[in-house]
Amino acid sequence: AGVVLPRTEADVVAVVRECVRFRVPLTARGGGTSQAGQSIGPGVILDASKHLNRVLEVDAATRRARVQPGCVLDGLNAALRPMGLQFAPDISTANRATIGGMVANNSSGARSVIYGKTIDHVLELKVVLADGSVIRCGPLDGPGLGAKCAREGLEGACYRAVRRLAAEHAEEIERRYPKILRRVGGYNLDSFRAGAAFNLAHLFVGSEGTLGVVVEATLRLVELPRARATLVIEFAELLDALAATPAILAHRPAAVEVVDRYVLDSTKLNPEAARLRDFLRSDPGAILLVELYGEGPDELPPRLGALEADLRDRGLGDHLLRVTDPAAQARIWKLRTLALGLSMAEKGDAKAISFVEDTAVAPEHLRDYIAEFLRIIARHGTRAGVYAHASVGCLHVRPVIDMKSEAGVRRFEAIAAEVADLVLKYGGALSGEHGDGLVRSPFQERLYGPVLYRAFRELKRTFDPLGLLNPGKIVDAPPLATNLRYGAGYATPEVSTLFDFSADGGLARAAELCAGVGECRKTRTGTMCPSYQATRDERDSTRGRANVLRLAITGQAGLSGLADPAAREVLDLCLECKACKAECPTNVDMARLKAEVLHRYHREHGLPLRNRVFGHVAGLGRWGCRLAPVSNWAMRGRAGRRLGEALLGIDHRRLPPAFAGKTLARRLAPFLAGEVPDDPSPGILLIPDTFANYYEPDLGEAAVALFRRAGCRVALGPRDLRCCGRPLISNGLLDRAVELARHNVDRLVAWADRGWRIVACEPSCLLTIKDDYPALLRAEARRRAEARRRAEAVAESCLTFEEALESALAEAEGIADRPRRLGFVEGPRRILVQGHCHQRALVGMGPTLRLLRRVPGAEVVDLDAGCCGLAGSFGYEVEHYEVSRLVGEQRLFPALRGDGPEAAVVAPGFSCRLQIDHFTGRFATHTAELLSRLGTGGA
């Protein structure tokens, strides 16, 4: 019915009261990352993450923190880190999961073997009850509990019900609740045994918003570990890894995580994850990541040695890797964190579904339990990936099922029922970490028995008499297959496209790749998703956009296809940074999807003048250079900018870049390439990209000089090469982009076949050829194998400037008799690097950073500050100016303002350099310009 983003506690109270007044269900939502459908419900969705997200108070002396429910875990821990403290539950979605959601789910994480669950760290809660009253609940002694029970109204009734039900069912609670650490299903009546401290907050923990709405939490904090070490153990088979877990637990690890081959293989398909696999020695059937904590670094080597010796004596593990360097450990654990989404990155209609992935048993039973579990999976004719927390017997097993078929839905229901029985057999929990939600609530009576299930229902009726708070969770759940995204009647439409989406099964399935993981809602690291970081609006996340596209394609939610204006509006703030292609675990490529949507939209609604102008920016550059300096006076003057705003919507506050009086091609006419040289030795073919050619020819000259000093043959061109087409793609002019891509491939393929490296100074131009051309030329490539080969050959020959120069220097240094080699003199002591989004996503920043570290005495800092916010023409448009500024203000601008003016700023992207100058006044230079200034020697 609607979504409410409350700004104050009073807003929450008002929403609850109005929902009671109109008998409308209410579901409180955190980061929307729950795996069991907890935050899916009818009526009103209450999302505290945008406004109610502050750390209210930290008392380091007593190790307590008071936070609002929308506070994100990583944000809280960032505030605590300078004090040497942390909130202990360390879930893999920490960069977007909220404390309110963690309280609702009773979350835990990889290190629960030493830290337990959220319930072990919640001291007090402030809760809005179902009648709109607000209560504080914390630990009570006997008189305090008696006073609470004597109260009139809903609060007193709740206290009396909990005290009575816990006492009446003490024996049944002892008999039916699993005797394991990782049990989060049902209601926590086991926390109210006789003799235990009475804290009603511990009933709200894990209740999934069905008993009240949390508006504030007081948390217990723990000290950060003083020293860490990781042992990576490779196994040929998953079951061998699980069998080793009990022996490892005797060495008091902080974590024992397992990742099987299925999940490890999925990391090869994700660019960011693939770069983190370098610690693996072989192609193991499974790995265990064992982490040890210590009071100091000297304590850990003897413990690691003892663990390694024990494993060798038992014949456990095929290869052991000891890792003590903090940066190397962080890379390994980052790969483990990415596993949550990577295991769901199946192409096509069959997906790895998280419906039985939350079971837990005692670690000593884990090997036998998983063996039976996998036999159930195999008996139903499918496969599954396995990963997660071997230390506490909680493994995530995700069967691959086609939920668009009737047979798939039946398989889904059958596996869920059989796994529930298997869990009972081993005395385990069906909800070990991710809660009950819509997926596991239907099995509550089977797991806890009719007596306790009746007690659960009575609790629910007492706390929520009208049944409005997140209905259908924990008790009175609808049948398992009731709320399916797809279901047997769902048909995925085939959509004709100009880009090739065949690897994903078509455009519709490319949008369906989004599994709701929510990595696009992170705000402190990486680049995805810049506009969400600025607006904190779900529709501006990659997940929000993918959901809208899926609904538009299938005609749901009142949308009428990809050309629907509402669909285009939702995509409007996508900066096409391509970060999602690398950082989204399921590889949703929203930049490419947006280009297709814009193409369809313009085809049906007409092409605006502004898109036509921005799409042909190369032509503008050509004429601007011919008419300079008059063109610069006309466009950069106050009157010209006001006219540009009136005619094209270009914000007058933006100062357009100045056209060069003499293009790069004219300056370096002797280097312009005609035919490919007959000489078989390859070289560097430097493309005069639009920005280097028309705006920054000095940059192109610097690049040529560096390659020549490194001993490379350099040619510029070819003569009739055209713009890469990135502006056409970004503005939805895909018909023209296809023609241009075909033309350029025809001009470049001979150079590629001769082994020349195709290079450009501007990352987006070069990477358009490398990443987009093969997909744009799909129609021709499908008809003729030679056409596919040509496009792929050109793409494979493309290197960014930094990749090419690093490679050239490495080759030169390997030639013993080369008389002179390119070196560098001392320059700035500190170099701040702002990576271009496309470069970071598709290539990585390694080549750039390694090149700059050749400068003697320089400290090179990868800012990793996300998108600058300009994104080509995006930030020039009036309606995007403020969002463009906000994107940069998230991390980039503060990082630059906080560093001294003596630090050099390097930004390979033309847009980045303009944006940095516009909003910070800092001068940013290209890698080539800085290195050329500092370079010595050469051929």
Side-chain angles (χ1 to χ4, degrees):
V3 178
V4 177
L5 307 175
R7 293 179 179 273
T8 65
E9 178 186 306
D11 288 347
V12 178
V13 172
V15 169
V16 171
R17 288 177 175 169
E18 291 304 299
C19 285
V20 170
R21 177 185 172 198
F22 290 101
R23 302 298 193 263
V24 174
L26 173 65
T27 298
R29 178 182 185 270
T33 60
S34 299
Q35 294 295 298
Q38 287 92 328
S39 58
I40 307 299
V44 170
I45 304 294
L46 190 72
D47 184 349
S49 64
K50 184 167 184 175
H51 301 298
L52 294 179
N53 54 19
R54 292 185 297 130
V55 179
L56 299 172
E57 180 185 13
V58 175
D59 188 335
T62 60
R63 296 183 186 172
R64 295 161 64 101
R66 195 163 55 86
V67 303
Q68 293 179 313
C71 176
V72 171
L73 175 58
D74 270 1
L76 170 61
N77 281 334
L80 298 174
R81 196 171 295 118
M83 308 173 199
L85 300 172
Q86 66 174 339
F87 183 56
D90 56 336
I91 58 180
S92 61
T93 55
N95 58 8
R96 67 267 197 199
T98 66
I99 298 298
M102 294 179 67
V103 169
N105 277 8
N106 197 8
S107 301
S108 43
R111 294 159 185 85
S112 60
V113 68
I114 59 172
Y115 289 135
K117 299 172 291 193
T118 295
I119 193 171
D120 301 307
H121 303 274
V122 171
L123 300 174
E124 299 176 3
L125 292 176
K126 191 175 184 181
V127 182
V128 181
L129 295 180
D131 62 351
S133 60
V134 181
I135 67 168
R136 282 192 179 273
C137 42
L140 295 172
D141 56 16
L145 175 59
K148 289 285 189 182
C149 291
R151 287 194 173 188
E152 298 291 330
L154 184 57
E155 181 182 11
C158 292
Y159 272 97
R160 292 190 295 273
V162 174
R163 183 176 65 174
R164 176 177 56 80
L165 290 171
E168 288 179 1
H169 301 297
E171 291 186 8
E172 193 73 356
I173 291 170
E174 178 66 24
R175 187 169 71 88
R176 295 301 298 242
Y177 275 69
K179 305 299 187 292
I180 57 175
L181 173 64
R182 297 296 286 271
R183 189 282 309 165
V184 301
Y187 289 122
N188 295 326
L189 280 175
D190 57 332
S191 295
F192 300 91
R193 295 186 179 97
F198 196 105
N199 187 345
L200 194 65
H202 291 168
L203 188 69
F204 289 107
V205 175
S207 67
E208 302 183 2
T210 62
L211 303 180
V213 179
V214 174
V215 290
E216 187 183 297
T218 302
L219 310 172
R220 182 175 69 89
L221 309 175
V222 301
E223 288 188 351
L224 287 167
R226 292 182 171 84
R228 308 173 190 244
T230 299
L231 185 67
V232 181
I233 314 169
E234 298 185 12
F235 296 85
E237 300 293 338
L238 169 66
L239 295 181
D240 294 340
L242 299 179
T245 301
I248 295 170
L249 289 175
H251 293 265
R252 297 176 292 110
V256 183
E257 297 290 288
V258 64
V259 185
D260 80 340
R261 176 180 279 118
Y262 176 93
V263 176
L264 287 173
D265 284 348
S266 71
T267 65
K268 300 174 184 177
L269 306 177
N270 178 278
E272 183 181 21
R275 293 192 282 266
L276 301 174
R277 289 175 49 89
D278 51 7
F279 68 92
L280 295 174
R281 179 178 176 180
S282 61
D283 186 24
I287 61 171
L288 289 179
L289 305 179
V290 181
E291 186 173 66
L292 301 179
Y293 284 175
E295 290 299 312
D298 295 340
E299 176 188 328
L300 295 176
R303 290 180 59 195
L304 285 167
L307 173 56
E308 292 165 353
D310 189 9
L311 292 171
R312 290 192 181 100
D313 290 345
R314 297 170 185 262
L316 298 173
D318 300 326
H319 176 66
L320 281 67
L321 174 66
R322 181 189 295 196
V323 185
T324 55
D325 175 68
Q329 291 185 73
R331 286 171 54 83
I332 291 169
W333 285 98
K334 184 175 182 179
L335 185 74
R336 154 65 187 87
T337 299
L338 289 173
L340 169 67
L342 292 172
S343 65
M344 304 173 79
E346 290 279 344
K347 305 291 186 182
D349 290 337
K351 304 287 186 184
I353 306 295
S354 56
F355 67 105
V356 289
E357 47 73 66
D358 198 26
T359 61
V361 298
E364 59 268 25
H365 300 318
L366 190 56
R367 189 237 177 247
D368 294 339
Y369 168 74
I370 291 297
E372 286 196 55
F373 198 137
L374 294 179
R375 284 197 289 272
I376 292 174
I377 303 299
R379 191 163 62 249
H380 285 279
T382 188
R383 64 193 189 282
V386 178
Y387 76 98
H389 321 297
S391 57
V392 287
C394 180
L395 290 194
H396 301 324
V397 185
R398 293 179 172 172
V400 177
I401 295 177
D402 178 4
M403 293 296 288
K404 297 176 182 177
S405 68
E406 186 176 346
V409 174
R410 286 201 301 268
R411 184 178 292 121
F412 163 76
E413 294 175 307
I415 291 174
E418 291 181 39
V419 168
D421 290 338
L422 182 66
V423 166
L424 280 172
K425 173 183 173 180
Y426 280 90
L430 194 60
S431 301
E433 178 176 31
H434 293 157
D436 294 325
L438 291 167
V439 176
R440 287 174 276 276
S441 294
F443 299 98
Q444 294 286 53
E445 188 166 6
R446 184 184 304 191
L447 292 167
Y448 290 97
V451 174
L452 286 181
Y453 186 69
R454 285 196 296 271
F456 290 169
R457 294 185 74 196
E458 186 174 345
L459 273 178
K460 170 67 173 173
R461 286 195 301 270
T462 302
F463 280 76
D464 181 20
L466 297 177
L468 299 179
L469 298 180
N470 205 10
K473 318 305 189 301
I474 302 182
V475 297
D476 300 321
L480 181 62
T482 301
N483 292 284
L484 301 180
R485 170 175 289 194
Y486 302 121
Y490 185 94
T492 300
E494 296 299 326
V495 181
S496 62
T497 61
L498 287 179
F499 269 115
D500 182 9
F501 290 95
S502 60
D504 299 323
L507 183 143
R509 290 180 178 85
E512 291 171 0
L513 282 174
C514 178
V517 174
E519 183 79 10
C520 46
R521 284 174 57 99
K522 64 186 179 181
T523 59
R524 304 185 65 83
T525 59
T527 302
M528 179 182 69
C529 176
S531 50
Y532 173 77
Q533 293 183 20
T535 69
R536 300 296 204 272
D537 192 330
E538 173 76 16
R539 78 173 193 164
D540 295 326
S541 67
T542 304
R543 178 173 69 180
R545 294 181 180 118
N547 278 329
V548 168
L549 288 184
R550 176 175 55 82
L551 295 169
I553 292 166
T554 54
Q556 301 180 67
L559 296 168
S560 58
L562 290 177
D564 192 306
R568 184 202 175 283
E569 182 183 348
V570 168
L571 290 172
D572 183 53
L573 295 189
C574 171
L575 280 75
E576 300 174 69
C577 65
K578 287 186 179 284
C580 51
K581 185 166 184 173
E583 297 177 27
C584 170
T586 54
N587 302 127
V588 175
D589 189 347
M590 191 52 61
R592 190 164 291 174
L593 289 167
K594 179 182 179 181
E596 284 286 350
V597 172
L598 287 180
H599 172 66
R600 283 177 165 266
Y601 182 83
H602 294 328
R603 196 171 62 188
E604 291 195 20
H605 299 281
L607 180 65
L609 176 62
R610 182 170 68 189
N611 294 90
R612 191 181 304 277
V613 171
F614 281 145
H616 294 88
V617 68
L620 181 66
R622 183 165 55 251
W623 281 103
C625 287
R626 289 175 181 175
L627 300 175
V630 175
S631 55
N632 288 326
W633 173 82
M635 293 189 63
R636 291 163 62 86
R638 182 174 298 178
R641 284 188 277 157
R642 288 289 184 183
L643 183 63
E645 182 169 301
L647 294 179
L648 299 173
I650 300 174
D651 198 289
H652 71 277
R653 289 169 288 185
R654 291 284 188 185
L655 183 67
F659 298 111
K662 192 174 182 180
T663 66
L664 177 64
R666 287 178 60 198
R667 289 192 189 187
L668 299 180
F671 290 97
L672 274 175
E675 298 299 321
V676 187
D678 292 332
D679 184 341
S681 59
I684 299 291
L685 182 68
L686 184 68
I687 297 172
D689 64 77
T690 296
F691 305 107
N693 194 29
Y694 299 123
Y695 299 99
E696 295 184 322
D698 290 348
L699 167 57
E701 289 186 308
V704 169
L706 283 167
F707 283 125
R708 294 191 72 205
R709 289 183 201 170
C712 298
R713 301 177 66 193
V714 183
L716 190 72
R719 292 179 186 275
D720 57 348
L721 195 71
R722 300 175 187 169
C723 169
C724 70
R726 180 78 249 158
L728 293 171
I729 294 169
S730 296
N731 285 277
L733 305 176
L734 296 189
D735 291 324
R736 180 72 182 108
V738 169
E739 296 172 9
L740 192 146
R742 187 179 296 116
H743 171 91
N744 285 344
V745 166
D746 288 344
R747 301 307 180 275
L748 294 171
V749 67
W751 298 83
D753 287 344
R754 290 288 182 91
W756 283 62
R757 297 161 181 160
I758 300 171
V759 180
C761 294
E762 174 59 31
S764 63
C765 295
L766 187 282
L767 294 171
T768 295
I769 300 172
K770 185 179 184 69
D771 185 51
D772 291 313
Y773 276 20
L776 269 178
L777 298 177
R778 64 158 178 92
E780 186 174 354
R782 284 181 180 175
R783 288 196 300 270
R784 293 191 291 120
E786 174 61 13
R788 178 185 294 275
R789 185 204 70 77
R790 289 158 66 89
E792 291 177 351
V794 169
E796 289 168 6
S797 299
C798 288
L799 295 176
T800 62
F801 163 79
E802 291 82 3
E803 288 179 293
L805 184 59
E806 183 187 35
S807 176
L809 291 176
E811 290 175 7
E813 290 162 354
I815 302 174
D817 60 353
R818 182 178 292 276
R820 289 186 294 163
R821 302 186 184 116
L822 175 59
F824 301 98
V825 299
E826 288 190 5
R829 293 297 180 184
R830 185 171 169 84
I831 302 174
L832 310 178
V833 183
Q834 166 63 11
H836 186 284
C837 291
H838 291 188
Q839 184 178 19
R840 189 178 290 277
L842 301 176
V843 176
M845 294 304 296
T848 304
L849 299 174
R850 288 190 294 269
L851 268 181
L852 293 170
R853 285 173 182 144
R854 289 172 173 264
V855 176
E859 177 193 6
V860 179
V861 180
D862 181 4
L863 293 175
D864 189 21
C867 180
C868 73
L870 187 55
S873 63
F874 177 89
Y876 278 88
E877 299 167 13
V878 171
E879 63 270 29
H880 296 155
Y881 181 88
E882 185 60 18
V883 172
S884 174
R885 183 190 68 80
L886 286 172
V887 169
E889 287 289 0
Q890 299 309 301
R891 285 177 286 146
L892 175 59
F893 301 162
L896 293 174
R897 294 183 188 119
D899 219 298
E902 66 279 1
V905 181
V906 170
F910 181 71
S911 290
C912 302
R913 297 194 293 277
L914 293 177
Q915 182 84 332
I916 288 170
D917 176 62
H918 182 76
F919 282 112
T920 71
R922 295 288 294 263
F923 172 76
T925 188
H926 190 281
T927 320
E929 292 176 302
L930 178 66
L931 295 181
S932 179
R933 193 166 67 244
L934 302 176
T936 62

